[in-house]
């Protein structure tokens, strides 16, 4: 602390107190003792070369060399005290207060003593309290009853400069205010007012800036009074007290208030009690911090701490520190023990708005501590839109014509971390403490001002700019604050050299030097400064307001601006003291809003001046009552600004004001509103009201309306279009002192947790909508809500509004004559989010409130049906929970069935699984919410689609390992799963009910030939498809129309129809030898592997479910085929191939095929194919032919799914579906296998007839519409011929033996020579060999691709 502080040390009680003369340079200093003596001392300075402390600078420091007298200013002088004659007041002194020229001393005998500072010469005057007239107000003081003050003395007292009086607390607990009747204090002309109904006052502190008196009470609360300007009475403004809601353990156990201390900037007040603890409030009662709860009161192990008892506390410079002295320990005999007092220092950061309220039209939160700044804006790269690049991040090229004011939600709300900027140490070294801070509208440039000079910082370059000439820095001090205008820093300062007030503009890209500054001389000291568009508004100490225009000079070599005085307005009639003005703002807000929605003219010009006069918001509008001159009729230099009307009071208890100069036609309500922060009363919004659809407004409708609402955070910035308030809160982190074992040894600082500052935000839109609905302004509420409906949290806004109103009305103990909930319900029906909003709100509230809610919004059964009609199934599912708790189980089952069927039809599988559990829960009699969704699926819950998942079988596996894997797959596949897998004995009616719905849906899918949806349905819901198909084999599982089914499969699985290349006639494949060589090479190389694959991919797992022998043979047939192909087929192949290739070629071709099929050949990756195919010596046309064949295949995922369905149908015995899938896959082995099964006597004759009829229909269709299938039909001609030649009589059962399967397997290899065409299937010329070659390529490509399937892991979930 320095000599400029009025009070160095104060201690209530019997300890001495020390005061200085208010000027800070007097040689007199009083000290009073408990026995009634006032001791006056002269302060004698030492010689010029005598200093207690001298700063040590590094050698060659520029500060010492350049600045004259700089070192002497930083030294601590050596002072000595010389006592003058003491003054005996003959009674114990209870309080002492210094005035400008006098010293007021209160004694225990009820006297007030007025002493001069040089008390020895002029003596003293005294007045008895009983002679001062006290009343409830000054108007009744002449004839009214006086307060009886016999035997009463002043316990505590403090002088208020702006009220010109003393706030006093008497020893009986009553509160009063003493003021002189004349202009100057004298003992003969005093009068007082007192506060009624208060008898427990303990202490007092005054706030000069807001003219408030804070009285501490024995109850633990602080009463804040103001003086009514009309009657002069003491009026209670608000209370500062802990609430039982937030502090249930301590709110009424704090003891009397011990001390109250306002911060130096008068924006916050600190309170402490007899039991200890600290609590911080804003000037109008918003609670910020308290050390009696949460982490301040408890250790990490849950034990309660003893709060720190405080004997004295004082704020440091600029309010960055609070110095605290702990209470002195009391000995056993009651006397204070002599011990070293502990001193604690609490550090604070504060908003820049407290002392420099020029950023109230911006959307950043700027906090500053003694050595650093905290910003909420994001990085420089984030603040610019993609359409405006940073231009190589150069700070010289930032667009400044219309800087982007809105940072966007991603920048301002994306994280909770601060952007911390350390203030340059060189500047802090000689200019501490920081007094002002400002940020530009884009949030990218900062400026700070300390004791002298200023400095600015760029977030682009992350560098500070300081004055190059230290003399220039030290020759100026900022008096009225800082502000940014485009790229210029505006500074209202005092020039020590010229002894002149100045307004300076510095460009941020130039060096910080007066040579580049635009300087305008001012006539009086500036207290406040603000910017509106291209105008600067100044408030000066003579209570006048000046408006200046700023214009950037275009012809100047360096960036500079010209400043011109536009208008001067005197406010001395309305402002009693210039120090009472908290902020001054130029704004476009008017009481008469622009009624037309076409062009809001008021947003273009400065229409009004807003003054915050000690918490009272005053508005001065331009006087437009006289004749108006059109702007186009006057030139810019002849335009004269309109005068201002007399001021109008808008609101009381205002701490901060926010407004913006932006325009937004879609959100005019929010952008043209005025936002006020009012302490404990929350926020207020002065909202404009607009007529709807250009209609003429009602004559009784006001143009604006003031809407109050409460917040959970302290507002520091307003995002106008985003309907958000930004703030900051104190967060704590516990840490225990690990170095000590007993609590007695704990240092004082360990009583307090580690504190951090967190960013916070809160939505306010629902408060505005509710307030408008309360005032029957539903049309305005609807317009406001519709303008904000695109916000990402708009649905949350509606939920909050319903929830808040529901909680208040449903839990009210008194009947509500005009409930708001029906109005709110009707209001939100205007939005498509209505159904979701209601159910989300219901599920977040107690069950006891549901009846009240749905009585207002409608029957939940009707809302459920609306959700189904709107296809909003997820919301409908939420309504089921409501119905389950409010209706009988039969109603829940009925609605759940409707939703289940709809979800099945739309493929909402997660919802289907929920509904299955829900129906089971209802059936089992559970009255609670069904079990939640498991995070992991059971292995069998996906049915057959798990068959192809997580398979990893290498091509190099032995036959034993393959057979083992096959056995495991068969076990997995036939594992009971799904709702219908239980035995009939344990199958409940609920499961049967669910099964019936599942069967009905499966039947519908199969009737509509939706095999892909059927596979998805079975896999997702664990439906046992094979067992159901076995039962439906002769009913719905039959193929009625093969051609339609084939077309539908092509469409569902995105499978292309096969085509014949245009150049196939002249292709080298026309040569029989080439075709035979290629086909047999490709086939022989994979003879073993492909048939092994065939065994894995086309053989269905064994299921012993029925007693049909032909179905039993389905599982054994592939093994017989495998043995036949491994013994008979290779020999047959070699008989054809031996004249053409040798062993080395055979090996190389085999490896080429393996590599080709395991590579991504379908995806066009030919890098591995070229090298390996070189041994085939294929020409370009042959490669084109092969690529054409690959193009005829569908997506790999579809092939896997079709193979899976082939397994299912084969195991279920649905042979006609197997034929259809075999056709689309063009798999010869499938057709052969099915035809072989048709010889069984167990196969119904209608199945054989259906397949024969279907294949004939397919052949006719291919002849006319799809010739691409002709080569494959020609390839399976022997099977078709055999099918046509089957006798109507059934074959004897003995004929169907496993050995016959080996004969069926022998025709696996096509013959090269042409065969006679079967009846009804004519062959085109020269189609036999080509088609056989092509079909073999298909076979070669189909089956090794299955190896690739087995090689990797594929997710078969259909999308």
């Amino acid at each position: 602390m320095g000599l400029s502080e009025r009070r160095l040390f104060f201690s209530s009680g019997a300890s001495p107190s020390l005061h200085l003369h208010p000027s800070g340079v007097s040689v007199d200093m009083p000290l009073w003792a408990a026995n009634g003596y006032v001791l006056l001392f002269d302060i004698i300075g030492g010689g010029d070369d005598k200093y207690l402390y001298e700063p040590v600078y590094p050698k060659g420091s520029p500060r010492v060399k350049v600045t004259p007298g700089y070192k002497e200013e930083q030294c601590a002088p050596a002072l000595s005290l010389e006592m003058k004659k003491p003054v005996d007041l003959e009674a114990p002194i209870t309080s002492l207060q210094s005035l400008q020229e006098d010293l007021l001393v209160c004694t225990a005998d009820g006297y007030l003593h007025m002493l001069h500072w040089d008390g020895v010469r002029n003596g003293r005057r005294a007045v008895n309290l009983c002679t001062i007239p006290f009343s409830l107000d000054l108007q009744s003081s002449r004839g009214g009853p006086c307060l009886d003050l016999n035997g009463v003395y002043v316990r505590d007292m403090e002088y208020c400069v702006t009220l010109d009086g003393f706030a006093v607390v008497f020893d009986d607990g009553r509160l009063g205010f003493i003021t002189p009747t004349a202009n100057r204090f004298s003992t003969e002309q005093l009068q007082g007012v007192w506060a009624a109904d208060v008898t427990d006052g303990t202490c007092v502190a005054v706030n000069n800036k807001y003219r408030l008196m804070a009285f501490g009470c024995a109850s633990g609360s602080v009463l804040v009074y103001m003086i009514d300007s009309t009657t002069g009475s003491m009026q209670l403004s608000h209370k500062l007290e802990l609430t039982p809601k937030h502090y249930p353990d301590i709110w009424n156990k704090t003891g009397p208030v011990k001390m109250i201390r306002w911060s130096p900037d008068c924006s916050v007040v600190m309170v402490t009690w007899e039991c200890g603890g600290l609590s911080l409030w804003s000037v109008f009662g918003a609670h910020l911090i308290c050390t009696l709860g949460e982490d301040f009161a408890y250790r990490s192990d849950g034990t309660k701490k003893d709060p720190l008892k405080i004997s004295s506390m004082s704020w440091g410079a600029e309010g960055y520190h609070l110095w605290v002295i702990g209470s002195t320990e009391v000995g056993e005999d009651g006397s204070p023990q002599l011990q070293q007092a502990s001193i604690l220092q609490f550090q604070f950061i504060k908003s820049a708005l407290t002392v420099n309220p020029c950023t109230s039209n911006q959307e950043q939160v700027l906090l500053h501590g003694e050595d650093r700044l905290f910003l909420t804006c994001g990085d420089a790269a984030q603040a610019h839109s993609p359409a405006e690049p940073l231009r190589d991040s150069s700070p010289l090229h930032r667009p400044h014509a219309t800087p982007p004011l809105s940072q966007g939600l991603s920048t301002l709300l994306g994280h909770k971390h601060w952007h911390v900027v350390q203030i340059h140490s060189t500047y802090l070294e000689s200019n501490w403490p920081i007094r002002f801070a400002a940020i530009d509208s884009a949030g990218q440039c900062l400026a700070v001002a300390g004791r002298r000079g200023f400095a600015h910082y760029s977030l682009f370059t992350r560098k500070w700019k300081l004055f190059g000439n230290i003399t220039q820095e030290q020759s100026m001090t900022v008096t009225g604050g800082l502000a940014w205008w485009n790229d210029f820093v505006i500074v209202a300062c005092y020039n020590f050299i010229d002894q002149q007030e100045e307004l300076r503009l510095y460009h941020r890209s130039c060096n910080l030097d007066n040579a580049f500054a635009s300087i305008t001389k001012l006539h009086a000291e500036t207290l406040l400064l603000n910017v509106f568009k291209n105008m600067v508004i100044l408030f000066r100490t003579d209570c006048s307001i000046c408006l200046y225009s700023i214009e950037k000079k275009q012809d100047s070599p360096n960036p500079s601006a010209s400043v011109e005085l536009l208008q001067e307005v005197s406010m001395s009639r309305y402002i009693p003291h210039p120090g009472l003005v908290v902020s001054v703002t130029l704004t476009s807000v008017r009481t008469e809003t622009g009624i037309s929605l076409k062009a809001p003219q008021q947003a273009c010009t400065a229409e009004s001046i807003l003054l915050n006069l000690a918490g009272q918001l005053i508005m001065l509008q331009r006087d437009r009552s006289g004749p108006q001159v059109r702007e186009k009729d006057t030139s810019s230099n002849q335009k004269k600004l309109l005068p201002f009307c007399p001021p109008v009071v808008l609101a009381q208890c205002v701490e901060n004001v926010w407004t913006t100069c932006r325009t937004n036609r879609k959100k005019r309500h929010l952008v043209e509103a005025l936002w006020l922060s009012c302490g404990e009363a929350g926020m207020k919004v002065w909202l404009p009201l607009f007529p709807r659809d250009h209609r003429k407004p009602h004559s009784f409708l006001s143009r604006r309306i003031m809407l109050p609402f409460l917040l959970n955070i302290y507002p520091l910035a307003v995002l106008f279009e985003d309907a958000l308030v930004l703030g900051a809160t104190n967060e704590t982190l516990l840490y225990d002192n690990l170095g000590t074992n007993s609590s007695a040894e704990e240092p004082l600082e360990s009583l307090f947790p580690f504190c951090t500052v967190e960013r916070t935000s809160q939505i306010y839109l629902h408060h505005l909508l509710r307030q408008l609905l309360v005032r029957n302004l539903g049309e305005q509420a609807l317009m406001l809500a519709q303008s904000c409906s695109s916000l990402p949290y708009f649905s949350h806004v509606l939920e909050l509004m319903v929830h808040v109103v529901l909680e208040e009305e449903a839990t009210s103990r008194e009947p509500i004559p005009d409930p708001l909930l029906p109005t709110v319900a009707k209001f939100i029906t205007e939005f498509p989010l209505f159904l979701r909003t209601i159910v989300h709100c219901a599920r977040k509230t107690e069950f006891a409130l549901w009846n009240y809610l749905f009585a207002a919004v409608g029957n939940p059964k009707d809302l459920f049906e609306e959700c189904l009609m709107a296809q909003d199934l997820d919301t409908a599912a939420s309504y089921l929970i409501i119905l389950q708790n409010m209706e009988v189980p039969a109603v829940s089952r009925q609605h759940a069935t409707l939703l289940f069927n709809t979800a099945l039809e739309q493929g909402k599988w997660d919802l289907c699984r929920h509904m299955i559990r829900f129906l089971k829960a209802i059936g089992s009699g559970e009255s609670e919410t069904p079990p939640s969704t498991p995070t992991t699926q059971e292995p069998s819950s996906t049915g057959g689609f798990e068959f192809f998942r997580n398979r990893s079988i290498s091509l190099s596996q032995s036959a034993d390992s393959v057979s083992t894997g096959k056995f495991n797959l068969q076990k997995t596949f036939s594992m009971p799963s799904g709702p219908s897998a239980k035995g009939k004995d344990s199958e409940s009616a609920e499961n049967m009910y669910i099964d019936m719905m599942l069967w009905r849906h499966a039947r519908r899918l199969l009737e509509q030939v939706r095999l892909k949806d059927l596979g998805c349905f079975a896999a997702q819901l664990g439906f046992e498809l094979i067992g159901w198909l076995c039962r439906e084999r002769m009913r719905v599982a039959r193929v009625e129309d093969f051609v339609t089914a084939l077309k539908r499969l092509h469409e569902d699985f995105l499978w292309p129809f096969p085509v014949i290349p245009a150049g196939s006639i002249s292709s080298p494949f026309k040569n029989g030898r080439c075709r035979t060589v290629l086909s047999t090479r490709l086939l022989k190389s994979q003879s073993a592997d492909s048939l092994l694959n065939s065994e894995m991919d086309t053989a269905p797992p064994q299921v012993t479910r029925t007693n049909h022998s032909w179905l039993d043979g389905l599982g054994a047939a592939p093994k017989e085929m495998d043995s036949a192909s491994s013994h008979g087929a290779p020999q047959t192949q070699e008989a054809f191939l031996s004249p053409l290739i040798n062993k080395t070629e055979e090996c190389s071709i085999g490896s080429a095929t393996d590599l080709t099929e395991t590579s991504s050949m379908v995806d066009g990756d030919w890098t591995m194919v070229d090298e390996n195919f070189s041994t085939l010596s294929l020409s370009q046309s042959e490669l084109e032919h092969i690529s054409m064949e690959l193009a005829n295949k569908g997506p790999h995922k579809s092939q896997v799914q079709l193979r899976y369905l082939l397994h299912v149908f084969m195991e279920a015995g649905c042979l006609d579906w197997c034929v259809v899938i075999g056709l689309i896959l063009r798999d010869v082995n499938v057709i052969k296998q099915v035809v072989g099964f048709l010889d069984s006597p167990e196969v119904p004759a209608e199945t054989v007839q259906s397949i024969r009829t279907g294949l004939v229909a397919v052949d006719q269709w291919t002849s006319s519409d799809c010739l691409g299938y002709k080569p494959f039909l020609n390839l399976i001609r022997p099977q078709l011929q055999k099918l046509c030649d089957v006798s109507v009589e059934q074959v004897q059962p003995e004929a169907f033996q496993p050995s016959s399967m080996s004969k069926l397997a022998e025709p696996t290899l096509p013959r090269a020579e042409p065969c006679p065409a079967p009846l009804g299937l004519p062959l085109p010329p020269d189609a036999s060999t080509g088609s056989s070659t092509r079909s073999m390529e298909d076979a070669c490509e189909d089956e090794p691709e299955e190896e690739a399937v087995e090689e990797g892991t594929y997710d078969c979930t259909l999308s």
Side-chain angles (χ1 to χ4, degrees), residues 809-823:
E809 295 186 358
T811 58
S812 175
R813 296 180 179 179
E814 301 292 332
I816 300 176
D818 188 16
L820 184 63
L821 189 60
T823 306

Side-chain angles (χ1 to χ4, degrees), residues 1210-1230:
M1210 189 73 78
E1211 187 168 347
C1214 301
L1215 298 181
D1216 37 6
W1217 276 114
C1218 295
V1219 170
V1220 175
I1221 297 176
L1223 284 174
I1224 193 173
L1225 291 174
R1226 289 181 289 165
D1227 192 332
V1228 184
N1229 293 331
V1230 175

Side-chain angles (χ1 to χ4, degrees), residues 394-668:
S394 171
L396 303 177
H397 295 93
R398 188 167 62 95
H400 59 270
T402 55
L405 287 173
S406 180
Q407 297 291 310
L409 290 180
S410 60
T411 304
L412 290 166
L413 301 178
H415 52 79
K416 299 194 73 173
H417 300 290
W418 295 93
H419 194 141
V420 182
V421 178
Q422 189 76 29
I423 300 175
H424 203 285
S425 59
T426 305
Y427 182 76
L428 281 176
E429 178 186 316
S430 55
N431 298 296
W432 182 92
I434 297 299
R435 297 169 54 226
F436 301 100
I439 187 171
D440 72 333
S441 56
Q444 300 303 315
C445 296
L446 300 166
V448 296
R451 191 176 63 90
R452 298 284 176 92
F454 76 97
H456 63 85
Y457 177 84
S458 171
L459 269 73
F460 289 102
T461 59
R462 300 186 182 274
K463 290 182 179 179
W464 283 94
K465 275 195 177 180
L466 278 64
F467 273 95
N469 188 337
I470 301 175
T471 305
Q472 293 182 3
E473 176 188 274
Q474 295 299 312
S475 65
M476 64 170 283
T477 182
V478 178
T479 57
L482 301 162
W484 285 90
W485 176 74
N486 296 341
D487 288 336
F488 289 88
V489 188
I490 304 177
V491 182
C493 61
Y494 179 78
N495 188 336
F496 288 102
I497 296 177
D498 298 339
Q499 296 185 354
Q500 173 72 47
E501 289 287 334
E502 296 175 344
L503 181 68
R504 299 184 181 183
L505 277 76
Y506 296 85
H507 196 274
R508 67 182 185 87
S509 63
C510 301
N511 291 333
L512 199 50
D513 193 285
N514 292 343
F516 302 106
S518 303
I519 300 177
T520 304
K521 296 185 181 300
L522 304 176
H523 302 298
E525 181 182 349
T526 303
L527 294 180
L528 291 168
L529 171 149
N530 212 332
V531 176
F532 176 83
K533 292 192 173 180
N534 295 332
M535 299 176 68
V536 176
I537 181 170
L538 303 180
F539 178 76
R540 305 186 304 193
T541 53
D542 58 357
C543 296
S544 63
I545 296 174
C546 295
L547 301 181
Y548 291 85
S549 67
I550 315 175
E551 184 178 358
K552 188 174 181 179
K553 294 180 180 178
Q554 303 297 333
D555 53 352
S556 175
N558 295 314
S560 61
S562 60
V563 179
E564 180 185 355
L565 177 64
L566 294 178
Q567 197 171 3
E568 191 168 345
V569 182
S570 175
M571 296 291 294
S572 57
R573 293 174 53 193
Y574 311 105
I575 300 175
H577 193 284
L580 297 176
V581 179
V582 180
S583 67
V584 58
T585 307
L586 199 59
T587 175
S588 59
V589 172
R590 286 182 57 84
T591 53
E592 297 287 333
T593 59
I595 298 305
S596 173
L597 290 175
K598 297 178 182 178
Q601 75 266 4
Q602 80 276 10
C604 304
T605 57
E607 291 289 333
S608 306
I609 296 175
L610 295 175
L611 278 179
N612 186 351
L613 179 63
Q616 191 176 55
L617 189 64
I618 296 176
M619 182 177 187
L620 291 87
Q621 298 184 83
R622 290 198 183 275
D623 187 2
R624 295 185 177 273
S625 59
Q628 303 296 302
V629 181
R630 289 181 298 179
E631 293 185 3
K632 63 181 181 180
D633 295 340
T634 59
S635 59
S636 58
N637 54 0
Q638 294 176 346
K639 188 187 302 183
K640 184 179 180 181
L641 294 177
L642 295 172
F644 287 93
C645 298
V648 178
V649 177
L650 293 184
Q652 303 280 353
C653 302
V654 177
E655 295 182 1
N656 284 314
V657 181
W658 292 276
T659 180
T660 180
C661 57
R662 283 205 310 277
T663 57
N664 188 330
R665 295 181 58 85
K666 295 182 179 179
K667 297 183 179 180
R668 289 188 61 190

Side-chain angles (χ1 to χ4, degrees), residues 871-1163:
Q871 301 294 316
D872 190 357
L873 303 189
D874 292 330
T875 305
S878 296
Y879 276 104
L880 272 184
I881 308 298
I882 308 296
L883 290 172
Q884 184 194 15
N885 288 276
M886 299 184 68
E887 302 287 346
V888 295
V891 176
S892 300
R893 178 192 292 264
Q894 175 188 358
H895 289 80
T897 304
L898 287 174
L899 180 58
F900 187 33
N901 288 329
T902 309
L904 284 173
E905 190 61 36
Q906 294 189 7
K908 305 272 188 180
W909 306 121
D910 286 336
L911 182 57
C912 289
R913 285 191 286 271
H914 282 294
M915 296 312 303
I916 290 174
R917 285 199 306 276
F918 187 85
L919 288 167
K920 288 182 179 179
I922 294 177
S924 60
E926 295 180 9
S927 60
E928 299 174 345
T929 303
S932 59
T933 309
T935 55
T936 57
Q937 287 188 340
E938 295 82 2
S940 60
S941 64
T942 55
F945 267 48
E946 276 293 330
F947 185 77
F948 280 98
R949 199 172 295 170
N950 301 324
R951 290 176 56 186
S952 179
I953 302 175
S954 173
L955 296 177
S956 60
Q957 283 179 318
S958 63
D960 296 337
S961 62
V962 173
S963 62
T964 304
K966 174 183 173 183
F967 173 74
N968 291 338
L969 287 171
Q970 286 180 346
K971 284 193 66 176
T972 304
F973 190 81
S974 58
M975 184 186 301
S977 62
S980 63
K982 300 180 180 179
K984 289 187 177 180
D985 296 336
S986 61
E987 199 168 43
S988 62
E990 291 74 26
N991 289 336
M992 193 63 176
Y993 181 71
I994 296 171
D995 287 348
M996 291 296 293
M997 287 188 285
L998 295 176
W999 294 342
R1000 189 185 309 122
H1001 183 67
R1003 190 177 299 115
R1004 187 184 305 115
L1005 293 178
L1006 207 52
E1007 286 173 349
Q1008 298 173 1
V1009 200
R1010 292 162 58 186
L1011 290 194
K1012 190 171 186 178
D1013 293 340
L1014 181 66
C1016 249
F1017 160 71
Q1020 294 287 346
L1021 299 186
F1023 180 70
E1024 193 180 358
L1025 189 56
I1026 295 173
W1028 179 79
L1029 287 173
C1030 286
R1031 292 191 296 271
E1032 299 288 337
R1033 187 166 56 242
M1034 299 307 297
R1035 293 192 292 269
V1036 73
R1038 296 179 58 187
V1039 182
E1040 300 295 339
D1041 187 345
F1042 274 61
V1043 176
T1044 303
L1046 196 61
K1047 289 179 179 179
R1048 186 59 189 264
L1049 288 185
H1050 275 286
E1051 179 184 350
D1052 275 2
F1053 291 94
L1054 304 177
W1055 200 273
F1057 287 96
V1059 294
I1060 300 177
S1064 61
I1065 301 177
S1066 59
S1067 170
F1069 283 77
K1070 191 173 181 181
N1071 185 310
R1073 180 181 175 187
C1074 286
R1075 288 195 300 269
T1076 308
V1077 168
L1078 181 60
S1079 61
T1080 50
R1081 286 182 184 181
L1082 292 174
L1083 186 62
K1084 182 183 185 328
S1085 64
Q1086 57 171 359
S1087 59
D1089 290 335
S1090 65
L1091 291 176
L1092 209 64
N1093 258 351
S1094 168
E1095 179 185 355
M1096 287 296 302
D1097 295 330
T1098 63
Q1102 297 186 23
V1103 177
T1104 58
R1105 194 189 330 273
T1106 62
N1107 54 1
H1108 296 299
S1109 59
W1110 73 279
L1111 280 175
D1112 297 338
L1114 285 176
K1119 297 182 180 180
E1120 298 299 331
M1121 291 179 63
D1122 185 24
S1123 62
S1125 60
S1126 60
H1127 293 291
Q1131 284 82 1
T1132 310
Q1133 272 186 324
E1134 289 201 13
F1136 288 105
L1137 298 176
S1138 55
L1140 301 173
I1141 61 174
N1142 54 33
K1143 292 291 183 182
T1144 57
E1145 286 177 335
E1146 177 186 342
C1147 296
S1148 63
I1149 294 170
S1151 61
T1153 309
D1154 294 343
L1155 289 171
T1156 303
E1157 294 302 331
T1158 53
S1159 66
S1160 56
M1161 194 173 189
V1162 180
D1163 299 330

